Amino acid sequence: MRKNIVAGNWKMNTTLQEGVKLAEEVNAAVNAADAKCDVIICVPFTHLAPINGVISGKLGLGAENCADHKSGAYTGEVSAPMVASTGAKYVILGHSERRQYYGENAEILRAKVALALENGLTPIFCIGEVLSEREAGKHFDVVKSQIEDGLFNLSAEDFSKLILAYEPVWAIGTGKTATADQAEEIHAFIRSVIAGKYGQEVADNTSILYGGSCKPTNAAELFAKPDVDGGLIGGASLKCADFMGIVNAF
Ligand code: PGA
């Protein structure tokens, strides 16, 4: 069956020293807690190898992105093999900030997903509509297209390796969370889209996380919904106590 997962997305925050300190704190807390879910922190590229050296046991490590090429003349890029060589096991792909500010489209994301999988990384693949799309009632279509265009080239075997994250863009960093009912409605829809392509078993085994202003105060209500399998946490992952409050919501 699918796993419950809480993953932190640190985004472009913390210096290396601050990041290592936070990772040490989270590592101690996660390993001391009787967590009912898998816990992952996704951190800036510069932090991956040093943080891999200070975490252990139940805490997993991921990157926030990887390149759409394997190697070569792509100044400033960081490849999936490089990420894997740090010891990281996960990579966030298709985050709305990457789509919006760095022009990542479905073609680029298909290449990234393929390289991540080839290198043994588990993609945490993000989808979600912007406010105008929700207001126009187009959120189901938008999310469906993002899944079809970004992922439906995969075999069922490869698709089964993914984690999905539904993140309504209007809820990210805004303090405006989707209600638990709104989240459940679209998570159930996402699962039905997956079932339509890969069958009910694959759909039932796919972890679908909610992201967007998830906090210790609203996590339990969101995670109680049958199709919400955890959270992708931005702002609240930067404070150990807040992050653990979300982890312990399970
Ligand atoms: P937020 O970000 O929790 O700060 O809203 C979530 C995300 O973008 O992954």
Side-chain angles (χ1 to χ4, degrees), residues 2-35:
R2 59 184 181 260
K3 289 178 175 171
N4 290 329
I5 301 166
V6 170
N9 172 14
W10 288 8
K11 309 195 179 184
M12 197 172 74
N13 292 297
T14 73
T15 63
L16 175 58
Q17 291 74 20
E18 290 162 351
V20 168
K21 194 163 165 271
L22 176 58
E24 284 171 338
E25 244 185 291
V26 171
N27 186 59
V30 167
N31 282 303
D34 185 22

mmCIF file of all heavy atoms in Angstrom, residues 2-35:
data_model
loop_
_atom_site.group_PDB
_atom_site.id
_atom_site.type_symbol
_atom_site.label_atom_id
_atom_site.label_comp_id
_atom_site.label_asym_id
_atom_site.label_seq_id
_atom_site.Cartn_x
_atom_site.Cartn_y
_atom_site.Cartn_z
ATOM 1 N N ARG A 2 0.204 2.345 -0.333
ATOM 2 C CA ARG A 2 0.964 3.600 -0.414
ATOM 3 C C ARG A 2 1.441 4.062 0.967
ATOM 4 O O ARG A 2 0.841 3.722 1.997
ATOM 5 C CB ARG A 2 0.120 4.677 -1.061
ATOM 6 C CG ARG A 2 -1.170 4.982 -0.328
ATOM 7 C CD ARG A 2 -1.952 5.979 -1.132
ATOM 8 N NE ARG A 2 -3.199 6.360 -0.511
ATOM 9 C CZ ARG A 2 -4.380 5.864 -0.856
ATOM 10 N NH1 ARG A 2 -4.473 4.917 -1.785
ATOM 11 N NH2 ARG A 2 -5.477 6.304 -0.279
ATOM 12 N N LYS A 3 2.519 4.869 0.902
ATOM 13 C CA LYS A 3 3.107 5.360 2.147
ATOM 14 C C LYS A 3 2.577 6.747 2.481
ATOM 15 O O LYS A 3 2.277 7.538 1.583
ATOM 16 C CB LYS A 3 4.617 5.500 1.974
ATOM 17 C CG LYS A 3 5.332 4.185 1.885
ATOM 18 C CD LYS A 3 6.805 4.462 1.677
ATOM 19 C CE LYS A 3 7.599 3.180 1.700
ATOM 20 N NZ LYS A 3 8.976 3.401 1.289
ATOM 21 N N ASN A 4 2.533 7.037 3.771
ATOM 22 C CA ASN A 4 2.332 8.414 4.223
ATOM 23 C C ASN A 4 3.704 9.075 4.295
ATOM 24 O O ASN A 4 4.658 8.490 4.812
ATOM 25 C CB ASN A 4 1.684 8.422 5.606
ATOM 26 C CG ASN A 4 0.246 7.953 5.552
ATOM 27 O OD1 ASN A 4 -0.444 8.159 4.556
ATOM 28 N ND2 ASN A 4 -0.215 7.313 6.604
ATOM 29 N N ILE A 5 3.784 10.294 3.782
ATOM 30 C CA ILE A 5 5.078 10.972 3.658
ATOM 31 C C ILE A 5 4.934 12.445 4.020
ATOM 32 O O ILE A 5 3.983 13.111 3.584
ATOM 33 C CB ILE A 5 5.596 10.885 2.201
ATOM 34 C CG1 ILE A 5 5.763 9.414 1.764
ATOM 35 C CG2 ILE A 5 6.922 11.639 2.034
ATOM 36 C CD1 ILE A 5 5.948 9.223 0.270
ATOM 37 N N VAL A 6 5.872 12.954 4.796
ATOM 38 C CA VAL A 6 5.990 14.405 4.961
ATOM 39 C C VAL A 6 7.370 14.799 4.449
ATOM 40 O O VAL A 6 8.386 14.277 4.915
ATOM 41 C CB VAL A 6 5.806 14.830 6.436
ATOM 42 C CG1 VAL A 6 6.167 16.306 6.615
ATOM 43 C CG2 VAL A 6 4.358 14.592 6.879
ATOM 44 N N ALA A 7 7.387 15.684 3.447
ATOM 45 C CA ALA A 7 8.650 16.106 2.841
ATOM 46 C C ALA A 7 8.801 17.613 2.985
ATOM 47 O O ALA A 7 7.862 18.361 2.704
ATOM 48 C CB ALA A 7 8.684 15.715 1.358
ATOM 49 N N GLY A 8 9.955 18.050 3.418
ATOM 50 C CA GLY A 8 10.249 19.477 3.500
ATOM 51 C C GLY A 8 10.853 19.962 2.190
ATOM 52 O O GLY A 8 11.616 19.234 1.547
ATOM 53 N N ASN A 9 10.489 21.159 1.795
ATOM 54 C CA ASN A 9 11.087 21.803 0.621
ATOM 55 C C ASN A 9 11.670 23.128 1.105
ATOM 56 O O ASN A 9 10.937 24.091 1.306
ATOM 57 C CB ASN A 9 9.999 22.024 -0.449
ATOM 58 C CG ASN A 9 10.490 22.853 -1.622
ATOM 59 O OD1 ASN A 9 11.690 23.060 -1.790
ATOM 60 N ND2 ASN A 9 9.558 23.332 -2.436
ATOM 61 N N TRP A 10 12.959 23.134 1.311
ATOM 62 C CA TRP A 10 13.598 24.323 1.901
ATOM 63 C C TRP A 10 13.678 25.497 0.926
ATOM 64 O O TRP A 10 13.942 26.613 1.333
ATOM 65 C CB TRP A 10 15.006 23.963 2.394
ATOM 66 C CG TRP A 10 15.043 23.103 3.620
ATOM 67 C CD1 TRP A 10 13.989 22.490 4.243
ATOM 68 C CD2 TRP A 10 16.207 22.762 4.388
ATOM 69 N NE1 TRP A 10 14.429 21.788 5.341
ATOM 70 C CE2 TRP A 10 15.788 21.935 5.457
ATOM 71 C CE3 TRP A 10 17.575 23.065 4.279
ATOM 72 C CZ2 TRP A 10 16.680 21.421 6.405
ATOM 73 C CZ3 TRP A 10 18.455 22.542 5.215
ATOM 74 C CH2 TRP A 10 18.012 21.732 6.271
ATOM 75 N N LYS A 11 13.525 25.220 -0.370
ATOM 76 C CA LYS A 11 13.648 26.269 -1.403
ATOM 77 C C LYS A 11 15.004 26.951 -1.291
ATOM 78 O O LYS A 11 15.976 26.307 -0.879
ATOM 79 C CB LYS A 11 12.479 27.259 -1.296
ATOM 80 C CG LYS A 11 11.125 26.542 -1.274
ATOM 81 C CD LYS A 11 9.944 27.431 -1.527
ATOM 82 C CE LYS A 11 8.676 26.587 -1.493
ATOM 83 N NZ LYS A 11 7.477 27.362 -1.834
ATOM 84 N N MET A 12 15.111 28.243 -1.626
ATOM 85 C CA MET A 12 16.426 28.909 -1.608
ATOM 86 C C MET A 12 16.609 29.613 -0.260
ATOM 87 O O MET A 12 16.646 30.838 -0.170
ATOM 88 C CB MET A 12 16.553 29.893 -2.762
ATOM 89 C CG MET A 12 18.000 30.297 -3.028
ATOM 90 S SD MET A 12 18.183 31.267 -4.518
ATOM 91 C CE MET A 12 17.507 32.839 -4.014
ATOM 92 N N ASN A 13 16.687 28.781 0.785
ATOM 93 C CA ASN A 13 16.831 29.306 2.146
ATOM 94 C C ASN A 13 17.948 28.573 2.869
ATOM 95 O O ASN A 13 18.203 27.405 2.589
ATOM 96 C CB ASN A 13 15.517 29.121 2.910
ATOM 97 C CG ASN A 13 14.411 30.003 2.367
ATOM 98 O OD1 ASN A 13 14.505 31.228 2.401
ATOM 99 N ND2 ASN A 13 13.390 29.390 1.812
ATOM 100 N N THR A 14 18.534 29.241 3.784
ATOM 101 C CA THR A 14 19.636 28.808 4.668
ATOM 102 C C THR A 14 20.995 28.813 3.962
ATOM 103 O O THR A 14 21.139 28.381 2.830
ATOM 104 C CB THR A 14 19.442 27.384 5.296
ATOM 105 O OG1 THR A 14 19.643 26.379 4.304
ATOM 106 C CG2 THR A 14 18.094 27.232 5.955
ATOM 107 N N THR A 15 21.986 29.307 4.691
ATOM 108 C CA THR A 15 23.377 29.112 4.259
ATOM 109 C C THR A 15 23.726 27.659 4.536
ATOM 110 O O THR A 15 22.960 26.943 5.206
ATOM 111 C CB THR A 15 24.337 29.992 5.081
ATOM 112 O OG1 THR A 15 24.243 29.567 6.465
ATOM 113 C CG2 THR A 15 23.991 31.471 4.969
ATOM 114 N N LEU A 16 24.872 27.227 4.081
ATOM 115 C CA LEU A 16 25.273 25.845 4.338
ATOM 116 C C LEU A 16 25.321 25.557 5.839
ATOM 117 O O LEU A 16 24.798 24.531 6.300
ATOM 118 C CB LEU A 16 26.651 25.568 3.703
ATOM 119 C CG LEU A 16 27.245 24.191 4.003
ATOM 120 C CD1 LEU A 16 26.330 23.071 3.558
ATOM 121 C CD2 LEU A 16 28.610 24.063 3.330
ATOM 122 N N GLN A 17 25.906 26.481 6.598
ATOM 123 C CA GLN A 17 26.042 26.255 8.049
ATOM 124 C C GLN A 17 24.664 26.203 8.720
ATOM 125 O O GLN A 17 24.408 25.340 9.560
ATOM 126 C CB GLN A 17 26.905 27.360 8.677
ATOM 127 C CG GLN A 17 28.381 27.326 8.272
ATOM 128 C CD GLN A 17 28.633 27.807 6.834
ATOM 129 O OE1 GLN A 17 27.806 28.499 6.234
ATOM 130 N NE2 GLN A 17 29.774 27.450 6.271
ATOM 131 N N GLU A 18 23.793 27.125 8.339
ATOM 132 C CA GLU A 18 22.436 27.113 8.915
ATOM 133 C C GLU A 18 21.700 25.834 8.528
ATOM 134 O O GLU A 18 20.969 25.253 9.339
ATOM 135 C CB GLU A 18 21.635 28.324 8.404
ATOM 136 C CG GLU A 18 22.101 29.661 8.944
ATOM 137 C CD GLU A 18 21.606 30.852 8.110
ATOM 138 O OE1 GLU A 18 21.027 30.655 7.010
ATOM 139 O OE2 GLU A 18 21.818 32.001 8.556
ATOM 140 N N GLY A 19 21.894 25.415 7.291
ATOM 141 C CA GLY A 19 21.209 24.224 6.788
ATOM 142 C C GLY A 19 21.664 22.958 7.503
ATOM 143 O O GLY A 19 20.845 22.106 7.857
ATOM 144 N N VAL A 20 22.962 22.833 7.709
ATOM 145 C CA VAL A 20 23.484 21.645 8.402
ATOM 146 C C VAL A 20 22.933 21.606 9.826
ATOM 147 O O VAL A 20 22.512 20.553 10.320
ATOM 148 C CB VAL A 20 25.036 21.627 8.380
ATOM 149 C CG1 VAL A 20 25.588 20.578 9.334
ATOM 150 C CG2 VAL A 20 25.535 21.372 6.959
ATOM 151 N N LYS A 21 22.881 22.788 10.453
ATOM 152 C CA LYS A 21 22.368 22.856 11.834
ATOM 153 C C LYS A 21 20.886 22.430 11.877
ATOM 154 O O LYS A 21 20.483 21.642 12.738
ATOM 155 C CB LYS A 21 22.540 24.298 12.345
ATOM 156 C CG LYS A 21 22.372 24.460 13.819
ATOM 157 C CD LYS A 21 22.978 25.803 14.285
ATOM 158 C CE LYS A 21 22.489 26.129 15.686
ATOM 159 N NZ LYS A 21 21.228 26.902 15.690
ATOM 160 N N LEU A 22 20.103 22.953 10.950
ATOM 161 C CA LEU A 22 18.683 22.596 10.897
ATOM 162 C C LEU A 22 18.514 21.094 10.624
ATOM 163 O O LEU A 22 17.681 20.425 11.254
ATOM 164 C CB LEU A 22 17.977 23.431 9.816
ATOM 165 C CG LEU A 22 16.506 23.143 9.548
ATOM 166 C CD1 LEU A 22 15.654 23.319 10.800
ATOM 167 C CD2 LEU A 22 15.971 24.062 8.430
ATOM 168 N N ALA A 23 19.329 20.567 9.708
ATOM 169 C CA ALA A 23 19.233 19.135 9.383
ATOM 170 C C ALA A 23 19.581 18.287 10.608
ATOM 171 O O ALA A 23 18.935 17.257 10.857
ATOM 172 C CB ALA A 23 20.158 18.789 8.224
ATOM 173 N N GLU A 24 20.575 18.706 11.369
ATOM 174 C CA GLU A 24 20.945 17.963 12.583
ATOM 175 C C GLU A 24 19.788 17.947 13.586
ATOM 176 O O GLU A 24 19.476 16.928 14.187
ATOM 177 C CB GLU A 24 22.193 18.584 13.233
ATOM 178 C CG GLU A 24 23.469 18.238 12.481
ATOM 179 C CD GLU A 24 24.698 19.011 12.970
ATOM 180 O OE1 GLU A 24 24.545 20.096 13.587
ATOM 181 O OE2 GLU A 24 25.816 18.530 12.703
ATOM 182 N N GLU A 25 19.163 19.116 13.713
ATOM 183 C CA GLU A 25 18.011 19.228 14.629
ATOM 184 C C GLU A 25 16.860 18.328 14.188
ATOM 185 O O GLU A 25 16.278 17.588 14.985
ATOM 186 C CB GLU A 25 17.504 20.676 14.572
ATOM 187 C CG GLU A 25 17.601 21.480 15.848
ATOM 188 C CD GLU A 25 16.943 22.842 15.609
ATOM 189 O OE1 GLU A 25 17.498 23.664 14.822
ATOM 190 O OE2 GLU A 25 15.873 23.078 16.163
ATOM 191 N N VAL A 26 16.519 18.410 12.896
ATOM 192 C CA VAL A 26 15.412 17.618 12.362
ATOM 193 C C VAL A 26 15.745 16.130 12.479
ATOM 194 O O VAL A 26 14.895 15.309 12.853
ATOM 195 C CB VAL A 26 15.112 18.011 10.893
ATOM 196 C CG1 VAL A 26 14.111 17.050 10.257
ATOM 197 C CG2 VAL A 26 14.591 19.447 10.816
ATOM 198 N N ASN A 27 16.992 15.780 12.195
ATOM 199 C CA ASN A 27 17.412 14.376 12.265
ATOM 200 C C ASN A 27 17.215 13.822 13.677
ATOM 201 O O ASN A 27 16.672 12.725 13.854
ATOM 202 C CB ASN A 27 18.877 14.275 11.858
ATOM 203 C CG ASN A 27 19.341 12.844 11.765
ATOM 204 O OD1 ASN A 27 18.789 12.060 10.988
ATOM 205 N ND2 ASN A 27 20.334 12.481 12.563
ATOM 206 N N ALA A 28 17.646 14.583 14.655
ATOM 207 C CA ALA A 28 17.505 14.120 16.042
ATOM 208 C C ALA A 28 16.031 13.972 16.400
ATOM 209 O O ALA A 28 15.614 12.977 17.000
ATOM 210 C CB ALA A 28 18.191 15.106 16.987
ATOM 211 N N ALA A 29 15.216 14.959 15.999
ATOM 212 C CA ALA A 29 13.792 14.928 16.341
ATOM 213 C C ALA A 29 13.071 13.783 15.642
ATOM 214 O O ALA A 29 12.271 13.073 16.258
ATOM 215 C CB ALA A 29 13.143 16.264 15.971
ATOM 216 N N VAL A 30 13.368 13.582 14.361
ATOM 217 C CA VAL A 30 12.686 12.524 13.600
ATOM 218 C C VAL A 30 13.062 11.160 14.151
ATOM 219 O O VAL A 30 12.214 10.276 14.304
ATOM 220 C CB VAL A 30 13.037 12.620 12.091
ATOM 221 C CG1 VAL A 30 12.616 11.365 11.340
ATOM 222 C CG2 VAL A 30 12.379 13.840 11.473
ATOM 223 N N ASN A 31 14.313 10.971 14.475
ATOM 224 C CA ASN A 31 14.742 9.662 14.973
ATOM 225 C C ASN A 31 14.278 9.392 16.404
ATOM 226 O O ASN A 31 14.163 8.238 16.803
ATOM 227 C CB ASN A 31 16.250 9.494 14.806
ATOM 228 C CG ASN A 31 16.598 9.167 13.353
ATOM 229 O OD1 ASN A 31 16.114 8.206 12.794
ATOM 230 N ND2 ASN A 31 17.397 10.021 12.727
ATOM 231 N N ALA A 32 13.983 10.465 17.142
ATOM 232 C CA ALA A 32 13.469 10.284 18.504
ATOM 233 C C ALA A 32 11.952 10.072 18.488
ATOM 234 O O ALA A 32 11.399 9.429 19.377
ATOM 235 C CB ALA A 32 13.804 11.498 19.353
ATOM 236 N N ALA A 33 11.294 10.612 17.451
ATOM 237 C CA ALA A 33 9.828 10.534 17.394
ATOM 238 C C ALA A 33 9.405 9.168 16.854
ATOM 239 O O ALA A 33 10.125 8.543 16.092
ATOM 240 C CB ALA A 33 9.290 11.627 16.478
ATOM 241 N N ASP A 34 8.206 8.772 17.233
ATOM 242 C CA ASP A 34 7.661 7.532 16.697
ATOM 243 C C ASP A 34 6.812 7.908 15.490
ATOM 244 O O ASP A 34 5.589 7.781 15.506
ATOM 245 C CB ASP A 34 6.836 6.855 17.801
ATOM 246 C CG ASP A 34 6.330 5.499 17.370
ATOM 247 O OD1 ASP A 34 6.925 4.919 16.443
ATOM 248 O OD2 ASP A 34 5.332 5.033 17.952
ATOM 249 N N ALA A 35 7.476 8.396 14.445
ATOM 250 C CA ALA A 35 6.758 8.956 13.304
ATOM 251 C C ALA A 35 5.954 7.884 12.577
ATOM 252 O O ALA A 35 6.438 6.775 12.353
ATOM 253 C CB ALA A 35 7.740 9.617 12.356
#
